[in-house]
Amino acid sequence: DLGGVEADRVQRGLHLAVPLGPADAREVLISDHAEHAVRLEDRVVGAEGILEDALHAAKALQTQGIGTILTHLGENLVDASEAEGVTGHYLEVLSQIRSSGLDTRISVKLTQLGLDFDAALCQKNLLTLVQRAEALGNLVWIDMEGSDYVDRTLEQYRNARLRSAQVGICLQAYLRRTAADLESLLPLGPSVRLVKGAYKEPATIAFARKADVDHNFYTLATSFLSARERSPGAFLGIGTHDPRLLRGIEDFVAREQI
């Protein structure tokens, strides 16, 4: 569900969610065009088999000019060894992406890296991934979780961004605070993946009506693309399968000659 806009370039991409470890596994590929949507069969399979299937799907999509993002399902880990295990798994994924020659990124939830119980450990694990991604010519996306995590997630992102440009952040259009958050990030030259948001939040925090979320999404995207305060290197990923929004943003890019 990822489209990206950078300079005069419009990209299409997909987000592939991968379950953690051996389990009753479901892999779901979500596309911004229904004809490209893929759902792999439910089955019991080891982690290696899941990753192999994910890389195979990514390779098939790349032949259609479609890039992908790989995500480990799961969040809110409470043990340091588990968080370090997830970090190790992502390091292996990055290596296999490189050896396979794929146009594929990874996206991580910081509560998988230790954010709930040890912010310093989380930062260490995140920087380990970002540094490996940079060395391999890749990039790490940071997923945004519920509203209680926004400040801590942005702090982790800012610290990582000061050390490398190969890290991006997901922002949620349904949160009322996102316009201010986006503006505060512009001087960093951020890579931002803008999504609508899916967590249940009170109306004081998040827009409840779809029309309001859509309007805010469009406003955030076009504000980012036209911002004079944006530092060089900034990138915007359009994380929606809504064709009306996609067309509107593409029309804005063409009209403004961005």
Side-chain angles (χ1 to χ4, degrees):
D1 64 342
L2 177 69
V5 179
E6 183 180 28
D8 61 351
R9 196 157 51 89
V10 177
Q11 300 175 322
R12 290 280 184 259
L14 300 171
H15 197 137
L16 178 57
V18 182
L20 280 168
D24 290 325
R26 172 171 292 176
E27 295 160 301
V28 182
L29 198 58
I30 305 170
S31 172
D32 60 357
H33 295 291
E35 63 267 28
H36 292 311
V38 177
R39 183 182 297 275
L40 303 181
E41 294 297 324
D42 291 354
R43 60 195 176 121
V44 179
V45 64
E48 291 183 3
I50 294 172
L51 177 56
E52 182 181 352
D53 283 350
L55 294 172
H56 179 75
K59 185 175 182 178
L61 289 162
Q62 186 163 306
T63 65
Q64 303 174 48
I66 301 172
T68 49
I69 299 175
L70 297 181
T71 300
H72 244 173
L73 294 182
E75 53 194 277
N76 299 112
L77 299 184
V78 296
D79 181 84
S81 62
E82 289 183 314
E84 290 168 350
V86 170
T87 304
H89 180 78
Y90 272 123
L91 291 172
E92 174 63 20
V93 173
L94 285 168
S95 294
Q96 292 208 32
I97 288 170
R98 174 62 180 270
S99 64
S100 300
L102 293 173
D103 179 19
T104 298
R105 309 288 180 256
I106 63 170
S107 190
V108 303
K109 284 183 167 63
L110 294 186
T111 59
Q112 291 182 325
L113 303 186
L115 184 61
D116 275 331
F117 59 89
D118 190 334
L121 175 66
C122 179
Q123 183 73 187
K124 173 179 173 290
N125 289 334
L126 176 60
L127 289 175
T128 296
L129 295 176
V130 171
Q131 289 163 1
R132 176 67 65 84
E134 184 172 40
L136 296 176
N138 209 315
L139 178 142
V140 175
W141 284 109
I142 300 173
D143 280 342
M144 188 60 73
E145 302 178 62
S147 60
D148 289 345
Y149 289 100
V150 175
D151 286 326
R152 285 178 285 169
T153 300
L154 290 178
E155 180 181 8
Q156 293 272 335
Y157 168 70
R158 288 188 176 98
N159 290 337
R161 179 63 184 83
L162 290 174
R163 292 163 174 78
S164 174
Q166 299 308 111
V167 59
I169 184 71
C170 178
L171 295 180
Q172 299 164 323
Y174 77 152
L175 293 180
R176 298 178 184 274
R177 61 173 290 171
T178 299
D181 290 334
L182 185 60
E183 183 177 2
S184 74
L185 293 174
L186 290 176
L188 294 175
S191 291
V192 172
R193 189 169 89 241
L194 184 63
V195 302
K196 291 187 180 183
Y199 291 86
K200 185 174 177 58
E201 303 284 1
T204 54
I205 292 175
F207 297 106
R209 295 176 61 245
K210 179 182 183 300
D212 293 333
V213 176
D214 289 353
H215 176 74
N216 199 42
F217 191 108
Y218 179 83
T219 300
L220 291 167
T222 54
S223 295
F224 182 97
L225 292 168
S226 58
R228 294 182 179 179
E229 301 84 0
R230 190 179 69 240
S231 295
F235 175 89
L236 179 64
I238 308 300
T240 180
H241 58 272
D242 185 327
R244 184 181 59 83
L245 271 176
L246 289 171
R247 285 195 301 271
I249 294 168
E250 289 175 349
D251 288 346
F252 176 84
V253 169
R255 184 169 62 251
E256 300 297 321
Q257 298 182 337
I258 295 174

